[in-house]
Amino acid sequence: MPLPTIRVTRDEMRARVALFSEIEGFDGGLPDSDHPDAKRTLYNVVGFQPPEGSDAATTSPVGAKAAEKAAIKISEGFNLGYCKARPGKGPMMHNHDTNETFIPMTGRWECSWEVDGKVETFELGPHDVISFPPGVQRRFMNATWDEPDAEHLMMFVIGGDGPKAEFSPDAMAELRDRGLVD
């Protein structure tokens, strides 16, 4: 059976176009947003509506502010965003209830995960890809050490229509110790 053909006007299609120059980035709204090593700007490009049941440790992968401002507001089974950060910066350990895939656009990025009490890491460059399954504690960090003042860009794709991010117990304990969360 052939797929249905849908007619979409140019104006209707414009609602599904996100020009990077028009996307608002956010640097807050996540438990680790004020941690000095986690400073970053998140861009909600496709999807990322606020999930149900958020709390201090569990939130939208892009944070509350960015979740409300998707550039392309659709719920079609995936979400896409960007993270811009300086070297040494990126989120603290967290996991998702769905798949998360990282694709560096510029610079070098260290993608890490926890297994059996230790941290494993792959370093990726532009257009390389790493895909984490649901439930794996992971983080990423700009590792472009030879450009200490340059921000670089990482794309991330997360499955689902309302995915949740949950920061690890160790990350939440550190944030509480620093007085950054209650």
Side-chain angles (χ1 to χ4, degrees):
M1 174 182 273
L3 294 174
T5 300
I6 298 173
R7 185 180 173 280
V8 179
T9 67
R10 182 173 179 81
D11 286 341
E12 290 169 330
M13 202 63 218
R14 180 58 176 104
R16 298 176 74 102
V17 173
L19 301 176
F20 193 78
S21 62
E22 297 175 358
I23 300 170
E24 185 176 359
F26 295 89
D27 61 0
L30 289 164
D32 68 346
S33 293
D34 292 326
H35 191 288
D37 293 338
K39 297 290 183 186
R40 62 202 183 276
T41 303
L42 297 171
Y43 299 87
N44 183 358
V45 181
V46 176
F48 286 120
Q49 303 306 304
E52 294 181 24
S54 297
D55 60 31
T58 307
T59 184
S60 167
V62 292
K65 292 179 187 174
E68 297 169 1
K69 299 225 179 195
I72 300 174
K73 294 170 177 47
I74 61 171
S75 293
E76 296 177 357
F78 76 100
N79 299 267
L80 182 146
Y82 292 107
C83 175
K84 187 186 287 185
R86 293 189 186 286
K89 310 296 183 199
M92 297 176 79
M93 276 293 176
H94 64 282
N95 70 52
H96 295 282
D97 57 347
T98 63
N99 173 284
E100 181 174 34
T101 300
F102 297 118
I103 307 163
M105 304 308 291
T106 64
R108 304 287 306 164
W109 291 80
E110 190 176 277
C111 297
S112 306
W113 69 101
E114 292 180 347
V115 62
D116 298 330
K118 67 179 189 173
V119 175
E120 296 285 348
T121 300
F122 279 108
E123 187 173 299
L124 306 178
H127 313 133
D128 293 339
V129 177
I130 189 169
S131 185
F132 287 101
V136 172
Q137 293 288 345
R138 83 287 303 261
R139 74 177 303 265
F140 57 89
M141 176 183 70
N142 179 346
T144 316
W145 304 112
D146 59 336
E147 297 178 36
D149 296 323
E151 290 184 308
H152 283 282
L153 197 64
M154 165 93 83
M155 178 193 298
F156 51 90
V157 179
I158 300 178
D161 287 327
K164 293 180 183 177
E166 180 179 60
F167 284 79
S168 74
D170 289 345
M172 291 306 294
E174 181 178 341
L175 293 169
R176 276 191 287 283
D177 288 349
R178 287 176 173 254
L180 299 174
V181 297
D182 296 328

